[in-house]
Amino acid sequence: MLKDILSSQIKHYIKDKNINNYINLQSNFNVEFLAQGEYNVNFLIYDKYNKYVFRVNTKSQLQIENQIKYEYDALKKLEISKVTPKVYYLDDTKSYINYGILIMEYLKGRPLDYSKDLNKAAKIFSKIHSIDTNNGNYSNFIKEENILSDRIKEAKRLLKIYFDSDIVNTEQKKFFYNFIQWAEKNRYKENYFKDNVWMVINNTEVNSHNFIIGDENSFLIDWEKPVISDPCQDITQFLAPTTTLWKANYILSKEEKEMFFKVYKDYLNEDKQIEERVHIYTPYLYLRALSWCAYAFIEYQDPNKDIKNMDTFKKIKEYLDINFMNNLLKDYI
């Protein structure tokens, strides 16, 4: 498996590349598999005194040539928030290990629990969304100003191989055809965001396991594909059942969502009607989530795919169930 091959390579890489110029790691260090996503494999490198995350990127979800540098640069800009990991080292040459590499801070804690950590999550979002992207150089970030149109464009790209596939049934294809037609018809609602501009850094992958909840401090990790856009991107995704069911099998109540909105706005010290923004964006968030599932479903048929998480594949198939998808959209379409 890829993680086993990488584990062996990392040991030699750290010794040969004099990584101690960037981090404090004794010569008798250890390498241990930590976790993997769809496009990254993470390892713990540690000695008796220090721990770091060694992150290996295998592919870009943003169609970026230098994915690992994009993530590194984003983390550097985000350090001011104090709720994201510090990053220490970047290697985007792919000359030793055939993937992009970065080394970052290891943060001790547990995944977010929706039943008791909503306030902590709201505070994290408010700190990140308070970073003033109008001052300073944030040109390295992808900027999404047409938030509904961007979701339609993204969905069409993701769904191309799905529509062309012989293994997808007609009913599912029809669902996505109709969904895109609805999204196109309601694209005019994008004017709300153009008339009420609010641009912040969004993580775009805010599931419960991308939060580290500590005893004193809590963090949002996995900044693989951040963008500068309306804050409803992250807030909608965080609250949506497509996210809360993904790792935690949880659905937020109306009361829990209202409490989250209140805390978020209290710490943001602004009242920009985040609730209305979330309401407009929600079906387009579903378009993104379900289209990605469709794309990933086809990817998982490829025997040469570098990373395969069977729990993820199981969830993908659950989300593509026609009854599940129709139920998500019953209040919109």
Side-chain angles (χ1 to χ4, degrees):
M1 293 180 68
L2 179 61
K3 65 185 179 72
D4 299 318
I5 296 170
L6 288 172
S7 182
S8 175
Q9 290 178 329
I10 289 168
K11 194 89 173 178
H12 295 292
Y13 177 90
I14 290 174
K15 290 179 179 179
D16 292 349
K17 289 287 188 176
N18 296 317
I19 300 300
N20 271 341
N21 292 333
Y22 304 91
I23 59 175
N24 295 317
L25 202 63
Q26 294 183 331
S27 58
N28 59 335
F29 67 91
N30 296 291
V31 178
E32 182 179 309
F33 172 72
L34 188 60
Q36 71 180 30
E38 289 302 297
Y39 307 104
N40 292 278
V41 188
N42 301 296
F43 296 85
L44 186 65
I45 53 175
Y46 65 98
D47 58 26
K48 186 178 180 180
Y49 305 101
N50 300 289
K51 291 183 178 181
Y52 303 92
V53 175
F54 191 104
R55 183 165 170 86
V56 180
N57 169 254
T58 63
K59 189 176 179 181
S60 173
Q61 293 190 66
L62 292 173
Q63 316 301 304
I64 295 172
E65 185 175 342
N66 196 338
Q67 171 64 53
I68 203 70
K69 187 175 187 304
Y70 185 80
E71 183 171 356
Y72 176 87
D73 290 343
L75 285 168
K76 280 296 184 185
K77 287 293 186 183
L78 285 156
E79 283 183 5
I80 191 173
S81 72
K82 301 187 185 304
V83 292
T84 59
K86 295 178 182 177
V87 63
Y88 305 111
Y89 175 80
L90 166 71
D91 182 355
D92 57 354
T93 64
K94 303 181 182 179
S95 59
Y96 194 110
I97 294 175
N98 193 34
Y99 299 105
I101 293 164
L102 62 78
I103 299 175
M104 69 179 87
E105 180 182 16
Y106 171 75
L107 299 168
K108 188 177 179 180
R110 57 171 175 79
L112 178 139
D113 183 335
Y114 291 106
S115 67
K116 58 185 178 183
D117 296 326
L118 284 181
N119 285 3
K120 292 178 180 178
K123 293 174 188 176
I124 289 172
F125 281 122
S126 67
K127 288 182 179 180
I128 293 168
H129 292 173
S130 292
I131 295 174
D132 185 0
T133 58
N134 294 315
N135 292 314
N137 183 10
Y138 289 85
S139 60
N140 57 299
F141 284 88
I142 292 171
K143 195 171 185 179
E144 292 189 342
E145 296 177 293
N146 303 307
I147 194 168
L148 306 189
S149 297
D150 287 333
R151 294 293 74 79
I152 296 169
K153 181 179 178 182
E154 179 181 44
K156 288 180 177 179
R157 174 179 61 81
L158 290 170
L159 288 167
K160 187 178 186 306
I161 60 171
Y162 191 76
F163 286 143
D164 292 341
S165 174
D166 294 332
I167 64 173
V168 178
N169 69 55
T170 304
E171 189 178 18
Q172 287 173 310
K173 289 184 179 181
K174 184 178 179 181
F175 170 88
F176 280 108
Y177 279 124
N178 291 339
F179 195 179
I180 287 179
Q181 286 181 345
W182 178 92
E184 293 272 18
K185 182 180 178 180
N186 287 271
R187 189 201 298 256
Y188 70 91
K189 295 179 181 178
E190 195 166 69
N191 291 330
Y192 176 91
F193 301 103
K194 294 180 179 180
D195 294 338
N196 301 275
V197 176
W198 182 10
M199 302 292 278
V200 303
I201 301 173
N202 286 263
N203 173 279
T204 75
E205 292 190 303
V206 289
N207 67 67
S208 58
H209 279 57
N210 283 347
F211 287 84
I212 301 292
I213 306 300
D215 294 334
E216 296 181 5
N217 300 304
S218 298
F219 305 88
L220 179 57
I221 63 170
D222 198 353
W223 287 88
E224 178 184 349
K225 55 190 193 84
V227 298
I228 291 180
S229 186
D230 195 277
C232 71
Q233 274 221 51
D234 271 358
I235 302 303
T236 305
Q237 184 176 7
F238 178 74
L239 300 173
T242 45
T243 303
T244 61
L245 289 169
W246 187 258
K247 298 282 188 181
N249 201 32
Y250 194 91
I251 294 182
L252 295 166
S253 67
K254 179 183 177 183
E255 292 73 24
E256 286 174 316
K257 291 180 181 180
E258 288 174 349
M259 179 189 72
F260 173 89
F261 285 134
K262 182 180 185 306
V263 175
Y264 172 75
K265 291 191 290 187
D266 284 347
Y267 278 86
L268 199 65
N269 293 320
E270 291 189 59
D271 186 0
K272 292 190 176 181
Q273 297 302 313
I274 186 64
E275 295 93 337
E276 179 64 16
R277 307 175 102 90
V278 167
H279 177 72
I280 295 171
Y281 185 64
T282 293
Y284 290 86
L285 180 277
Y286 292 153
L287 181 61
R288 158 177 267 184
L290 296 177
S291 297
W292 179 85
C293 286
Y295 171 81
F297 177 80
I298 302 300
E299 269 204 328
Y300 266 75
Q301 313 307 312
D302 182 357
N304 297 315
K305 178 174 165 55
D306 285 333
I307 298 175
K308 286 189 177 182
N309 298 310
M310 298 322 293
D311 286 344
T312 296
F313 188 45
K314 180 181 177 182
K315 212 70 178 178
I316 286 167
K317 290 188 288 186
E318 289 176 9
Y319 280 21
L320 291 175
D321 177 82
I322 198 71
N323 293 322
F324 179 85
M325 294 192 293
N326 282 327
N327 188 57
L328 277 180
L329 295 167
K330 66 180 187 297
D331 294 331
Y332 295 95
I333 298 179

